[in-house]
Amino acid sequence: MTNWSVFKFGGNSLKDQKSLERAIDLVSEFGNGRLLIVVSAMGKSTNALESYLEARINKDLNLENQIWQELKDFHIEISKSLNLFDEVLRLGIEGELNRIRKLSIDSPYERLYDSVVSAGEILSSIILHAAIQTKFPNASWLDSRMVIKTNSSHKRAEINLEYTERSIHDKLINQQGVWISQGFIGASEQTKETTTLGREGSDYSAAIFAYSLKAKELTIWKDVPGLMSGDPKFFRNVQLLHEVPYDEAMEMAFFGATVIHPKTIQPLKSRNIVLHVRSFFDNKSRATQISNFNFLKPKIPCFLRKSNQTMIEVKSKDLSFVSDGQLSDIYNIFSNIGLTVNLAQHSATKGTFCISSEPRLIAIAVSKLNSYDVFLENDLVLYTIRNPNEESKIWLTRKGQPKMEQSSAKMDQALLLE
Ligand code: ASP
Ligand code: MG
């Protein structure tokens, strides 16, 4: 049997009639053999579902009903625009939306969040499945909660790779043709409840599927030409990167290249699976290949920007030395809560950490750091330049006086107020 390929379509590639037709074309063109398609929620449905949950928690009945109705209309309209809206699809869409409406809001927030927000991927996958069936009548739908096995950390669940690999393998090894499944969601091994992997996590799911199927490649279809040397919204004169080593892609994703989720690369690298990041509408042009390359091509500075950063200064109260033990305690506090440190510096009496702002989690961290003096500064932007040169260094110094900065042969970083 042939090797599997995996496609991932994000929300922007599934937001209206035109993009869905394009997705069907791409599957027809490239979907010979065994193809697994991983989808995100359509358009901005995940944000809408988050707002729906907020409205319910705040007991804002009007807003809750309005968002629910908009979600329903949006999914039904898309299905109708493609002439797919039959009784089966109506039951599927309404069933899923009625399910979230009936959920009791008394359960813990994170658990409820996963239960509500997962509806986006379920709806998207049942509609795309119906659409693909117009060309591939035997295309199958897979509930990723049957195979993506996680722990019970709702909203940021960790995948049990061994168990997940086995489940995916057992489910699909003897299968053929086109399969459609969901990114971003899984189920707790322990409780069997729905979990999610963190916002934008469906690239990561696609990588886990590719890994488990020992796929020959994963293609992420985007509304941009590929991975660029900077986000054109913020940086001028950026270029398309043609060849990117796995490690470089991981660094770029971690420091703000939103084109791929940072966790995507590791599973691919470990099995040497090539990742293509390609334009959804212009699939003829040269795209980005991420693989086992030695060098970035073209070898140019890459500009990354991570907004919404908080600087946390942790100072010993009595000016005693911040020892290694204390530093590792501080790191443990952050990581146990689910906060990732993007940049860190420490002196004899204080540690300074740059962390992506998550007010709820940062408040918990501050309360756990009560044996120190803690100062926070919000609304900062972390700039990172990979492969810096003289010109990029000058560019960075002109951005302003950094709150924190770091420089090495491979990377310059500055945390700034903008
Ligand atoms: N739909 C989810 C989100 O918007 C997952 C994803 O798009 O990757 O965060
Ligand atoms: Mg999305």
Side-chain angles (χ1 to χ4, degrees):
M1 272 200 274
T2 54
N3 282 336
W4 282 92
S5 291
V6 179
F7 277 8
K8 187 250 159 173
F9 292 118
N12 267 338
S13 314
L14 301 169
K15 63 170 189 241
D16 51 23
Q17 178 186 353
K18 196 167 144 218
S19 51
L20 268 138
E21 282 170 354
R22 186 72 196 129
I24 302 169
D25 285 349
L26 290 171
V27 172
S28 306
E29 191 174 337
F30 295 95
N32 298 323
R34 306 206 277 175
L35 175 69
L36 177 86
I37 302 169
V38 177
V39 297
S40 300
M42 294 179 154
K44 300 263 176 273
S45 305
T46 307
N47 292 352
L49 285 157
E50 284 184 345
S51 309
Y52 167 79
L53 180 59
E54 279 316 304
R56 274 197 69 177
I57 290 172
N58 296 334
K59 306 220 174 345
D60 186 340
L61 199 63
N62 282 340
L63 185 61
E64 171 196 328
N65 284 334
Q66 185 198 327
I67 301 173
W68 188 86
Q69 193 60 47
E70 281 168 7
L71 275 162
K72 184 170 164 187
D73 293 346
F74 170 70
H75 287 94
I76 290 180
E77 278 315 309
I78 284 202
S79 312
K80 283 190 174 161
S81 73
L82 290 153
N83 284 328
L84 301 170
F85 193 62
D86 59 7
E87 193 52 18
V88 177
L89 206 47
R90 185 184 71 77
L91 287 173
I93 295 173
E94 289 184 0
E96 190 56 18
L97 285 164
N98 288 336
R99 176 186 68 77
I100 63 169
R101 204 171 217 188
K102 286 193 203 118
L103 288 169
S104 148
I105 60 160
D106 295 334
S107 54
Y109 171 78
E110 269 81 13
R111 195 165 136 214
L112 187 61
Y113 176 96
D114 286 351
S115 203
V116 169
V117 167
S118 56
E121 270 66 17
I122 298 293
L123 292 169
S124 171
S125 66
I126 58 177
I127 295 172
L128 189 73
H129 177 229
I132 300 281
Q133 276 186 318
T134 60
K135 290 275 167 67
F136 297 87
N138 294 328
S140 312
W141 184 86
L142 171 65
D143 188 333
S144 62
R145 293 169 294 191
M146 304 295 291
V147 289
I148 302 281
K149 308 288 184 181
T150 72
N151 64 8
S152 301
S153 299
H154 286 282
K155 214 169 174 236
R156 54 183 182 97
E158 298 287 337
I159 291 179
N160 177 334
L161 192 55
E162 219 173 288
Y163 190 14
T164 296
E165 179 182 8
R166 208 174 336 120
S167 307
I168 293 175
H169 182 271
D170 292 351
K171 178 78 200 162
L172 293 176
I173 196 64
N174 293 319
Q175 303 296 336
Q176 299 272 8
V178 180
W179 284 73
I180 292 112
S181 194
Q182 309 80 34
F184 180 55
I185 69 176
S188 156
E189 270 176 84
Q190 231 183 354
T191 63
K192 312 283 178 265
E193 283 177 313
T194 301
T195 52
T196 63
L197 309 176
R199 287 298 309 261
E200 307 304 330
S202 52
D203 291 349
Y204 176 44
S205 307
I208 293 294
F209 274 110
Y211 170 93
S212 306
L213 294 169
K214 301 192 171 68
K216 66 173 191 295
E217 55 192 7
L218 163 63
T219 306
I220 298 187
W221 296 99
K222 297 295 282 188
D223 56 351
V224 292
L227 188 58
M228 313 287 290
S229 62
D231 183 339
K233 274 193 264 156
F234 299 105
F235 303 102
R236 276 189 283 164
N237 303 326
V238 291
Q239 292 177 43
L240 179 66
L241 302 171
H242 295 300
E243 294 181 359
V244 183
Y246 287 121
D247 294 4
E248 190 60 47
M250 221 184 292
E251 297 286 352
M252 289 179 67
F254 183 75
F255 288 117
T258 52
V259 170
I260 33 175
H261 187 278
K263 281 173 137 180
T264 313
I265 306 296
Q266 202 277 331
L268 302 177
K269 180 180 169 167
S270 70
R271 293 225 155 132
N272 241 322
I273 299 166
V274 178
L275 170 60
H276 302 274
V277 184
R278 311 186 65 156
S279 162
F280 188 63
F281 280 105
D282 177 17
N283 64 300
K284 297 286 179 276
S285 68
R286 212 174 150 194
T288 302
Q289 227 176 308
I290 298 166
S291 186
N292 214 352
F293 300 117
N294 288 325
F295 304 103
L296 186 66
K297 207 167 146 188
K299 201 164 187 322
I300 48 175
C302 295
F303 294 77
L304 305 153
R305 181 182 190 274
K306 217 167 166 145
S307 61
N308 210 11
Q309 299 296 299
T310 296
M311 186 170 80
I312 306 184
E313 232 177 62
V314 185
K315 231 173 154 177
S316 59
K317 277 197 198 296
D318 53 0
L319 278 195
S320 66
F321 203 69
V322 176
S323 67
D324 288 349
Q326 279 165 313
L327 271 177
S328 73
D329 286 346
I330 297 170
Y331 272 105
N332 276 337
I333 290 176
F334 291 142
S335 91
N336 290 341
I337 300 170
L339 289 168
T340 311
V341 176
N342 298 321
L343 184 64
Q345 265 159 13
H346 67 96
S347 65
T349 58
K350 84 179 177 193
T352 313
F353 306 89
C354 163
I355 286 181
S356 299
S357 304
E358 286 212 46
R360 217 188 271 258
L361 301 184
I362 288 179
I364 301 175
V366 171
S367 72
K368 294 202 183 245
L369 290 165
N370 58 8
S371 56
Y372 299 89
D373 285 327
V374 179
F375 305 94
L376 296 183
E377 186 161 349
N378 289 314
D379 299 323
L380 302 171
V381 178
L382 176 63
Y383 281 95
T384 302
I385 301 175
R386 301 280 308 164
N387 309 307
N389 61 14
E390 278 318 306
E391 230 176 296
S392 72
K393 282 181 192 299
I394 294 170
W395 181 90
L396 193 59
T397 49
R398 290 204 179 126
K399 291 300 281 181
Q401 186 60 39
K403 305 271 172 194
M404 289 173 83
E405 63 186 318
Q406 224 155 69
S407 188
S408 68
K410 285 213 144 179
M411 161 161 111
D412 286 339
Q413 293 186 291
L415 182 67
L416 299 156
L417 188 65
E418 267 193 339

